[in-house]
Amino acid sequence: MADLMDKLVSLAKRRGYIFQSSEIYGGTGSVWDYGPLGAELKRNLKELWWRSMVHQRDDIEGLDSAILMHPRVWEASGHVEGFTDPLVECTKCHRRFRADMPEVESDQCPTCGTKDAFTEPRMFNLMFKTFMGPVEDDASLLYLRPETAQGIYVNFLNVQTTARQRIPFGIAQICKAFRNEITPGNFIFRTREFEQAEMQFFVEPGDDEEWFDTWMDARMRWHVALGVDRDKLRFHEHTPDELAHYAKQAYDIEYLFPFGWKEFEGIHNRTDFDLARHQEFSGKRLEYIDPGSGERYVPYVIETSMGVDRTLLVLLADAYREEEVAGEERVVLALNPKVAPLKAAVFPLVKKDGLPEVARKVHEALRDAAIPSFFDASGSIGRRYRRQDEAGTPWCITIDGQTNDDATVTIRDRDTLEQVRISTDRVVGWLEERLRT
Ligand code: GAP
C-alpha cells in the first residue's frame, strides 16, 4: 500500500498536479506548489465547498480575513500558551522529533537508529513568528495564523450585524494557515503551509449538541457526494486526552490513506470558549441580543474544519487506479467530473482533411462555455488517451474521418471506455448536462 504514495507523488509531478516548492534550490521542507492541473483541482474543490456552505444556504455568510492579526488574538485563543507539541532531540544526530512518535516512544532514533539518546521532552510552539515594520523586537512580534477560525471570531459581530443574521447562523472562509510542524510529511498530508476551509456555526447554548450532530452528518454526506469511497471514511471521536484546549466534544472525519486511517476534517464543539476569551482580552462585548426576547448571551460555536490539501490528497488517493485494458496497463485518475481539472480533451485523429480545424472549433466552443478542455494533436490516439486518463479527464472527444461526412464526433468515457457518437454542435450541451448532474 505504501508504494501507492510514491506512485501518487510521481504522477502528481509528471502530470503537473504538484511540485516541490523551490525545487531548483533543493526544495523547501514540506512545502508544495500546485501546478496547472493541481491548481484547477484545488479551485474546484474549494468552489464546491463554498457553494454548499455559502451560496446554497441563507444562514451562512462568507468571509476573507487577513493572515496577520493582532498578537493578543493568539493569547486570547490559548495558542501562545497551549499550541505546542512535545519535542525531543537525538543527542547523536541532533535531529528533532515529536515525542509521541512510535519510534521515539520505543527509544530508538528514527534517523540514525541510536537507542536511548533522546533529550527530555520540551514543549515546542507550532506558530511561525514574524515581525511587523522595520524593527524586530517583542513589540512588533506577530504570528502567522495556525488556524483561520480566529479571523471569524473577531469578526463575529461585524458579520452578524451587517448581514442582519439571527442565531443560529454561520460564517465560512477558506484561507491559508501555517504550522511549524516538528515532523511534517506524507506528501501534502502534513505541511507547514496549508489551506483550511472552516465554518463556525453560532448557536444558542443548549442547542449546541443537536447542531453538532447535524453538522457531523452533513459533512460526512458532503464527502460521500463528492464520490469518496464510503468504506474508506469513518468518524473518530476524540478521547479527553486528544481534545484541543477549546473543545468540549470533537470528531475527526478520517480516510484510509495508504499510510493508515488519518484525519482530514474536524468537527468541534468549541462552546463559548473563543468568543468569551476575546471578550475578556479585548474588553469588547461579543454578545448576541435575541431580537425576540431581548436576552443577551455569548453564543456557542460548532466548527467544521476541513484541510483543503488533505482533502485533495483524499481525492487523488481515492481516484487512483491501475487497470488492464485490451492487454495493456493503464493508470487512471477516476476523479468526479465536477472536481476534475480538465473536463474534456479534443483529438483530431489525423492532421489532414481539415480535421485539426474542426477539432480546434470544438475546443474553442468548450472554452467559450467555460468548460476546461485540452487540445492534443500529437502522438498515437492510444498515447493521447493514456495521458488524459492519468490527468483524470472524464471525456475525450475524437474528430475522425466520419466527422466530415455527417458532422459527428465520438466521446469516450474515461471510466467505462464506452464511446458515443453525437453531432458536433451538441458537444457543449452534452458536457454541460453531465457536469450539472
Ligand atoms: N480550527 C480548528 C483546527 O484548526 P485542526 O484539527 O487542528 O483544527 C483542521 O485542523 C484541519 O486542518 C485538519 O483536519 C487537517 O485537514 C488540516 N491540517 C491541520 N494541520 C495541517 C498540516 N500541518 N498540514 C496540512 N493540513 C493540516
Side-chain angles (χ1 to χ4, degrees), residues 11 37 44 56 60 262 269 346 355 396:
L11 181 142
L37 296 192
N44 294 340
Q56 292 179 333
I60 300 186
K262 298 280 175 200
N269 182 344
V346 183
L355 296 187
C396 289

Side-chain angles (χ1 to χ4, degrees), residues 30 79 83 126 146-150 153 177-181 183-185 187-198 200 238 244 246 251-253 262-268 270 303-311:
S30 291
H79 284 81
F83 195 56
L126 302 186
E147 63 167 5
T148 73
Q150 300 302 325
Y153 301 138
F178 304 84
R179 294 182 190 178
N180 198 4
E181 300 279 0
T183 39
F187 195 28
I188 54 169
F189 179 80
R190 181 169 284 112
T191 54
R192 295 192 167 108
E193 172 179 341
F194 54 95
E195 266 185 287
Q196 291 183 318
E198 295 200 309
Q200 316 294 322
H238 281 210
Y246 49 69
Y251 275 85
D252 293 334
I253 301 182
K262 298 280 175 200
E263 163 203 1
F264 67 103
E265 170 153 354
I267 297 124
H268 310 122
R270 296 182 71 135
E303 167 184 69
T304 69
S305 177
M306 178 182 91
V308 175
D309 311 77
R310 273 193 202 172
T311 307

